[in-house]
Amino acid sequence: MSENILSIQDLNVDFQTEAGVVHAIRGVSFDLKPQEVIGIVGESGSGKSVTSLASIGLLARSATTTGTILIDNQSVTTMSEKELSNLRGTTVAMIFQDPMTSLNPVYTIGWQIVEALRAHQKISKKEARVEAQRLLELVGIPQAEKRLDNYPHEFSGGMRQRAVIAIAMANQPKVILADEPTTALDVTVQAQVLQTLRTALEISKAALVLITHDLGVIAGFADRILVMYAGRVVESGLVDEIFYRPAMPYTHGLLGSIPSIDSVSSVRLRQIPGSPPTMVGTHTGCPFAARCPLRKEICLTEEPELKLVAASTNSSIGSEHRSACHFADEVVEMPVASMFPDSSEDFSEESK
Amino acid sequence: MKTNVTAETDVKEDTDLDSSGMSGESRSQWALARRRFFHDRLAIFGLIIFSLIIIGSIAEIVLNPSGYQDLTGDYNQAPSWHHLFGTTTIGIDLFSACMKGVLQDLQIALIVSVMSVVLGTTVGALAGYYGGKLDTFLMRLVDLILVVPGLAILIVLSNQISGKGNASLYLAFLLGALSWTYIARLVRAEFLSLRERTFVEAARALGADNRRIIFRHLIPNCIGTITVNATLTIAGAILLESTLSFLGLGLVPPEVSLGMLVQQGEEAATTQWWQFAFPASILLLIILSVFFIGDGLQSALDPRKNRARS
Amino acid sequence: MRFVIRRLTISVFILFLASIFVFLLVAFSGDPLAQLKLDPRTPLATLQYRRHLLHLDLPLWERYFYWFSHAIRGDLGNTIAGLPVSPQLVSHMVITLRMVLVALVFSVIIAIGTGVISALYRGKFIDRTITFTNFFFLATPVFVTGLFLKFFVALPINQHAGKILIYTDGDQSPLADGSFFHRLPDYIGHMILPTITLILATYATWSIYQRSTLLETMDLDHVLLARSKGLSRRRVLLRHMLRNALIPVTTVIALDFAALLGGAVITETVYSWNGMGSWFLEGVGNLDVNITMAYLLVTAVFVIVFNLLADIAYAALDPRIRLS
């Protein structure tokens, strides 16, 4: 028995497509302790979403999965569909990216919350409705009683996402997986929804996997960060270490692309040139090599392992600073993002 | 690995096209579509059957140009090597007649298909691109044509067919005038969604006029839909034409069509089964093969769209 | 409610346009007195009298107005033989409708059933079988299905049994009498083959459409969310996939109602039913304009009513439409 609420070991996910086998996830491992918040960062297509879908057993049938995923010490990969549906909602819940599409348009908000409650609790419709109203109030929806009878299209984007959060916490899950929960929302609403999510965690005492491509979202929220690139974890560690002493050029690139109000004058916005590799077939070398300004001969021939950063100050088990770069120990000493060229183009586009 | 490398470039180009929405002159996209089509077993099956029937009918017409009306003197003969499909009550070789019917039906169907594409694309494009009152007017027109079953309209107008000198051409025009509505609706729908896309905005910002946008940017993006439905229109036209001929309202002798042969075979169906079975089977096979080809094209050209099989 | 009224207004408008369309179509399809004129013995007075009876001596728009204003009051004019059209229409319509409506109900059930099974077992043997069967019936002309069932299924069975088990001719036995319930088995016996024929000609498109709509629904976010809530497979399928997939399917079924009526014309011909279709064919053959126009107008009314029902069903199923 481990104390971890979610434990992923050596996860590999392949998709069969007509263009060939796509290796969406390659050897991802991490653990999540109760009530811990872990952030997974990376560009789209880096395998973040696939990791979360795999954790709740929702991958498409064209996927082949190897490795182990334990949620509350139960193996998700070997479960029957029936066991999975007992697990979903009660132990693990999920929040999807686009609240415009993740609620069923033909049922009222109240109906959909009640449905979630009654899937796992033996309560009457009336009791469930009272509970649904309480949940809506918890996530900060005014006039909750009236709002129960609204359809999703009568809610704003931010309110819908709150409703989705209410559904997620309906059965007090131990883990919530949030896949880009604020990406589809207006910037002004993002902070409110994050605050709602924080409240939901405090009340339900759930652990959270927060998936995003936006380091800014994670900054004040997560305890630890995993940086993913091309289906692998390329750097992991405590938030402060990743932010102030990144040991992987890709992480430097991500940090360089966050606009921040107080640094506008001193640090220019930088961007990572090029785009992520396709994940079809097999590759040799570091997947980031093609875009890396520090690329050396070895990067093209040998794929670096995710290993401890020697200069790391933290060594507590599970949250050590690790990096998949041949030159991690040199990179970690460089000023953040200094290796990338300045981008003089408008940065509003890049921060998206 | 070599195969992987090619696969990779294909996917990349494909996604690039998707994201930019630029008009599809990319060679690799067509190559990918072709490969999808040739990996589709039913589509290949359809293509083979269709080709066999066409080769058979052309060969028969070339080798035996008047076979479909020659009285052989063999009455009601069962199929044999001499008469592959047997003979009719008045002694016509049924194989010859069927093959002639195939050519006749296909000729009509092709005209119908071309007409539907031209009319349907024009109306759909105008309605979808300009919108507003023009759109309302054209779509009401389409609604109106769809309000009465196409078959009933044809039956009413059939009075005119038999009297005409060039009956098959007249029939083809009638069918064409009724068959374009489907393509019009689909093209309109595509135009409605395409005209808001960034590449159209970009083209407009660069000073392209409406004509250029329609012909260089929008229509090329509808080629897939149009091709698929042009194929399906062929099947639909053969169905309609044979139905009319079966009712005795389409073509009349000495012209030959498959529907007419089925109708002639009906009376003898229980005793001389071949007189019904062969024309009916050829009719069924040719429509089925066209459907398979159309469905194969659909999945090859637009794999994300809904389709019958997957 | 406002939605229904708005739809109703549009329907009435379309019906009005349709009546003009129907009238012009028939007016230009041929001269009803052509046969009479060909006969040199027809006295001029008779010709003129007949022309007057059919109002052919009036200008086109006056003729239309006369016809339409009477039609909306239920008077569809007289046949060439001088009998009123409306009662004939009703008696033929009853015969056709009982076949068409039964076929419609069964087609919908079969289409949804096969479509769902095929989507759930996507790529499996049963899916391939269903899909191939669907294509097969989609490609088979109605008259081929009808004749095949008649000559190669029903007749051999009857021959084998030595008596008529499955009726192949007519909509009822010629000398049937007695109460309605007494005749009911006879009606049903005659309905079996034509209805099966019509079902086979109709259900396939819907089944294919049901399958593809359901497959599209399968990967939608709200279905993933429903599954992530821990709902049973059955509940996800019925409440979140099928429920949403029914919305577009309803529309397609309603739009195909015209095709169903067209199919009925062929089915009636094949099985010598004395329904609306054969009545119409006869009317066209005799250049009996009032019969032809009556058929076309009534067909248009059916199609429009069906589209209206579909619109209402659409709104009932989709709150986004209902509340906008």
Side-chain angles (χ1 to χ4, degrees):
Chain A
M1 282 296 192
S2 91
E3 53 157 344
N4 294 321
I5 191 68
L6 169 66
S7 172
I8 293 181
Q9 293 304 321
D10 197 25
L11 180 68
N12 286 281
V13 178
D14 292 347
F15 288 98
Q16 295 292 338
T17 70
E18 58 178 292
V21 179
V22 172
H23 304 289
I25 302 276
R26 297 182 294 140
V28 166
S29 305
F30 68 89
D31 293 321
L32 182 70
K33 298 186 194 73
Q35 296 196 49
E36 191 185 16
V37 176
I38 194 167
I40 302 185
V41 213
E43 284 162 291
S44 49
S46 61
K48 300 165 299 179
S49 299
V50 177
T51 309
S52 69
L53 285 174
S55 309
I56 193 167
L58 280 179
L59 282 180
R61 274 188 287 183
S62 59
T64 41
T65 311
T66 61
T68 53
I69 302 172
L70 298 178
I71 286 193
D72 206 15
N73 290 309
Q74 305 169 65
S75 167
V76 172
T77 46
T78 55
M79 258 182 210
S80 72
E81 185 66 23
K82 194 161 166 51
E83 291 169 312
L84 266 176
S85 46
N86 288 333
L87 187 83
R88 292 178 189 143
T90 52
T91 312
V92 54
M94 183 138 185
I95 297 166
F96 291 88
Q97 170 170 357
D98 189 354
M100 300 295 172
T101 56
S102 59
L103 289 164
N104 191 331
V106 306
Y107 298 114
T108 61
I109 300 286
W111 192 96
Q112 298 187 53
I113 302 177
V114 166
E115 183 185 45
L117 288 164
R118 280 168 53 93
H120 299 289
Q121 302 174 29
K122 291 223 170 333
I123 51 175
S124 72
K125 278 188 182 161
K126 232 183 191 151
E127 290 165 327
R129 197 183 151 88
V130 173
E131 174 65 10
Q133 186 188 335
R134 193 185 70 88
L135 285 167
L136 269 195
E137 279 161 2
L138 274 182
V139 295
I141 289 184
Q143 295 177 289
E145 195 186 352
K146 234 177 72 190
R147 288 302 203 161
L148 281 176
D149 296 321
N150 279 169
Y151 286 94
H153 72 272
E154 297 170 280
F155 269 37
S156 69
M159 281 163 68
R160 282 185 223 189
Q161 199 62 306
R162 286 159 197 254
V164 174
I165 294 173
I167 289 175
M169 58 188 284
N171 294 298
Q172 292 93 36
K174 293 173 182 161
V175 192
I176 295 177
L177 310 166
D179 184 0
E180 306 258 11
T182 57
T183 309
L185 303 173
D186 285 348
V187 183
T188 46
V189 183
Q190 287 187 0
Q192 299 168 13
V193 169
L194 280 179
Q195 188 52 44
T196 306
L197 194 55
R198 205 187 299 263
T199 318
L201 289 186
E202 275 162 22
I203 294 167
S204 63
K205 308 268 185 269
L208 177 72
V209 177
L210 180 61
I211 293 164
T212 177
H213 61 254
D214 184 353
L215 276 166
V217 167
I218 285 188
F221 209 132
D223 304 310
R224 275 191 300 139
I225 293 181
L226 301 180
V227 180
M228 285 190 73
Y229 189 78
R232 295 185 69 207
V233 175
V234 291
E235 183 165 7
S236 68
L238 294 173
V239 170
D240 281 357
E241 272 171 326
I242 301 287
F243 267 77
Y244 297 110
R245 293 168 54 85
M248 164 78 197
Y250 177 63
T251 316
H252 276 263
L254 284 180
L255 288 165
S257 63
I258 313 173
S260 71
I261 295 164
D262 50 271
S263 63
V264 166
S265 49
S266 55
V267 183
R268 296 267 205 87
L269 202 67
R270 292 150 204 271
Q271 65 168 3
I272 313 172
S275 55
T278 57
M279 319 267 277
V280 186
T282 44
H283 297 267
T284 49
C286 173
F288 188 61
R291 304 167 74 185
C292 184
L294 306 177
R295 178 182 56 233
K296 301 263 162 51
E297 198 68 17
I298 186 175
C299 302
L300 297 172
T301 54
E302 215 172 287
E303 183 156 16
E305 305 224 342
L306 185 66
K307 51 185 186 287
L308 272 179
V309 179
S312 169
T313 49
N314 175 303
S315 59
S316 63
I317 295 163
S319 56
E320 318 86 337
H321 190 180
R322 290 170 176 273
S323 159
C325 177
H326 291 298
F327 306 102
D329 293 329
E330 293 150 44
V331 174
V332 77
E333 304 299 342
M334 294 180 173
V336 171
S338 59
M339 69 213 44
F340 288 97
D342 284 357
S343 105
S344 46
E345 284 141 30
D346 71 323
F347 51 77
S348 58
E349 206 46 43
E350 289 305 317
S351 67
K352 268 202 201 137
Chain B
M1 286 189 292
K2 203 178 172 195
T3 47
N4 274 334
V5 173
T6 51
E8 230 170 83
T9 46
D10 277 357
V11 165
K12 203 158 175 292
E13 301 230 7
D14 199 27
T15 48
D16 283 348
L17 276 164
D18 281 349
S19 55
S20 68
M22 273 306 186
S23 51
E25 282 301 309
S26 158
R27 204 174 295 150
S28 85
Q29 202 188 21
W30 287 109
L32 197 62
R34 197 163 55 235
R35 204 173 59 200
R36 282 196 210 104
F37 184 83
F38 285 110
H39 274 104
D40 190 332
R41 256 179 292 168
L42 278 185
I44 291 303
F45 172 74
L47 199 61
I48 291 172
I49 298 283
F50 189 72
S51 317
L52 281 180
I53 294 179
I54 297 217
I55 293 169
S57 56
I58 292 177
E60 177 65 21
I61 291 304
V62 170
L63 295 175
N64 190 7
S66 62
Y68 67 95
Q69 49 186 5
D70 287 348
L71 303 175
T72 57
D74 299 334
Y75 306 108
N76 286 330
Q77 290 217 338
S80 63
W81 280 116
H82 191 55
H83 299 296
L84 220 45
F85 288 1
T87 61
T88 68
T89 320
I90 57 167
I92 287 173
D93 179 70
L94 202 53
F95 181 74
S96 270
C98 281
M99 294 302 113
K100 173 72 176 172
V102 166
L103 281 188
Q104 179 67 270
D105 281 356
L106 278 178
Q107 189 191 335
I108 292 177
L110 276 180
I111 298 176
V112 174
S113 181
V114 170
M115 263 183 85
S116 301
V117 167
V118 173
L119 268 172
T121 309
T122 312
V123 171
L126 288 175
Y129 189 77
Y130 291 103
K133 282 203 177 112
L134 185 67
D135 180 29
T136 317
F137 171 74
L138 291 174
M139 285 304 112
R140 285 280 171 275
L141 188 70
V142 170
D143 284 347
L144 206 57
I145 293 176
L146 291 175
V147 151
V148 183
L151 185 64
I153 299 181
L154 286 170
I155 288 172
V156 172
L157 294 175
S158 67
N159 278 334
Q160 312 268 343
I161 299 177
S162 41
K164 293 281 188 297
N166 208 336
S168 67
L169 201 63
Y170 181 76
L171 180 61
F173 277 121
L174 270 188
L175 288 166
L178 291 172
S179 305
W180 56 272
T181 48
Y182 198 62
I183 292 185
R185 286 191 155 183
L186 292 173
V187 170
R188 171 180 175 268
E190 293 230 353
F191 263 56
L192 279 180
S193 72
L194 284 172
R195 74 173 183 190
E196 306 300 334
R197 296 262 288 274
T198 23
F199 71 95
V200 176
E201 300 283 324
R204 200 171 286 140
L206 288 171
D209 58 6
N210 288 338
R211 230 175 94 148
R212 193 181 159 78
I213 292 175
I214 291 178
F215 283 102
R216 297 301 296 254
H217 295 278
L218 294 176
I219 289 187
N221 268 294
C222 298
I223 288 291
T225 310
I226 295 172
T227 315
V228 170
N229 287 284
T231 316
L232 296 180
T233 306
I234 291 181
I238 297 176
L239 263 172
L240 258 184
E241 190 283 323
S242 64
T243 305
L244 267 187
S245 296
F246 168 76
L247 292 173
L249 297 170
L251 301 178
V252 285
E255 295 196 80
V256 183
S257 88
L258 288 170
M260 206 150 89
L261 292 172
V262 174
Q263 191 251 336
Q264 287 164 359
E266 178 192 348
E267 285 163 41
T270 40
T271 47
Q272 280 97 36
W273 57 270
W274 60 91
Q275 294 186 16
F276 168 77
F278 282 111
S281 310
I282 293 286
L283 183 57
L284 171 62
L285 277 178
I286 203 163
I287 300 173
L288 193 61
S289 61
V290 175
F291 271 136
F292 283 149
I293 295 171
D295 188 59
L297 281 176
Q298 170 127 3
S299 51
L301 293 172
D302 201 350
R304 287 155 302 151
K305 273 263 174 67
N306 56 337
R307 47 176 305 228
R309 301 176 294 110
S310 60
Chain C
M1 202 59 226
R2 261 196 22 224
F3 173 84
V4 175
I5 290 170
R6 213 182 66 216
R7 287 277 137 192
L8 203 62
T9 329
I10 296 179
S11 297
V12 170
F13 179 65
I14 294 264
L15 180 61
F16 172 67
L17 290 181
S19 73
I20 297 178
F21 178 59
V22 162
F23 180 82
L24 292 178
L25 190 70
V26 176
F28 289 107
S29 74
D31 180 357
L33 299 177
Q35 292 278 303
L36 223 51
K37 281 179 189 162
L38 276 179
D39 191 342
R41 289 165 301 177
T42 314
L44 199 63
T46 315
L47 214 54
Q48 267 165 354
Y49 178 65
R50 286 295 194 83
R51 184 180 286 148
H52 177 71
L53 275 187
L54 291 169
H55 309 287
L56 290 176
D57 46 353
L58 298 174
L60 201 60
W61 68 270
E62 262 181 58
R63 253 160 72 201
Y64 167 75
F65 182 75
Y66 184 88
W67 171 71
F68 186 65
S69 60
H70 281 76
I72 50 176
R73 278 174 278 165
D75 173 13
L76 289 160
N78 292 338
T79 64
I80 287 189
L83 297 167
V85 167
S86 301
Q88 282 193 11
L89 173 71
V90 172
S91 68
H92 288 110
M93 195 165 73
V94 173
I95 293 171
T96 300
L97 279 188
R98 69 171 183 243
M99 166 170 74
V100 167
L101 292 180
V102 171
L104 176 72
V105 170
F106 279 99
S107 296
V108 169
I109 295 172
I110 295 173
I112 292 181
T114 52
V116 169
I117 292 174
S118 174
L120 288 184
Y121 296 94
R122 173 191 197 170
K124 303 271 165 57
F125 176 74
I126 185 152
D127 172 33
R128 286 166 197 273
T129 313
I130 289 177
T131 304
F132 189 88
T133 316
N134 285 346
F135 267 100
F136 183 83
F137 285 119
L138 199 63
T140 317
V142 191
F143 60 91
V144 171
T145 319
L147 292 175
F148 179 82
L149 288 179
K150 182 172 167 180
F151 289 119
F152 297 96
V153 178
L155 287 185
I157 290 178
N158 288 347
Q159 244 162 28
H160 195 75
K163 57 176 177 178
I164 294 182
L165 285 178
I166 307 170
Y167 293 95
T168 53
D169 265 317
D171 46 87
Q172 63 180 77
S173 298
L175 295 169
D177 55 5
S179 71
F180 174 75
F181 287 103
H182 191 72
R183 283 174 296 163
L184 194 61
D186 186 61
Y187 282 147
I188 294 176
H190 281 88
M191 268 178 72
I192 294 176
L193 270 190
T195 313
I196 292 179
T197 305
L198 206 50
I199 291 170
L200 292 181
T202 314
Y203 91 96
T205 336
W206 302 343
S207 173
I208 290 172
Y209 192 69
Q210 172 72 61
R211 176 184 183 274
S212 66
T213 326
L214 206 59
L215 283 180
E216 274 172 28
T217 317
M218 221 167 250
D219 300 324
L220 292 182
D221 277 359
H222 79 254
V223 173
L224 286 181
L225 182 74
R227 291 175 68 194
S228 82
K229 279 152 83 170
L231 306 177
S232 67
R233 277 185 92 107
R234 194 185 143 82
R235 195 177 170 92
V236 173
L237 173 70
L238 290 178
R239 293 300 189 120
H240 290 275
M241 289 166 57
L242 201 51
R243 171 68 172 73
N244 292 54
L246 274 184
I247 299 174
V249 171
T250 317
T251 319
V252 166
I253 288 176
L255 285 177
D256 266 4
F257 191 68
L260 197 60
L261 288 173
V265 176
I266 316 297
T267 317
E268 286 176 10
T269 312
V270 170
Y271 296 105
S272 339
W273 268 45
N274 195 15
M276 209 163 56
S278 5
W279 181 65
F280 164 64
L281 278 176
E282 214 174 298
V284 173
N286 295 334
L287 289 169
D288 204 333
V289 282
N290 281 336
I291 291 183
T292 311
M293 288 197 293
Y295 173 85
L296 292 176
L297 188 68
V298 164
T299 312
V301 170
F302 278 133
V303 173
I304 291 169
V305 166
F306 242 80
N307 282 323
L308 182 68
L309 288 179
D311 276 344
I312 294 172
Y314 201 113
L317 289 171
D318 191 341
R320 285 165 295 182
I321 306 284
R322 193 189 327 148
L323 300 170
S324 67

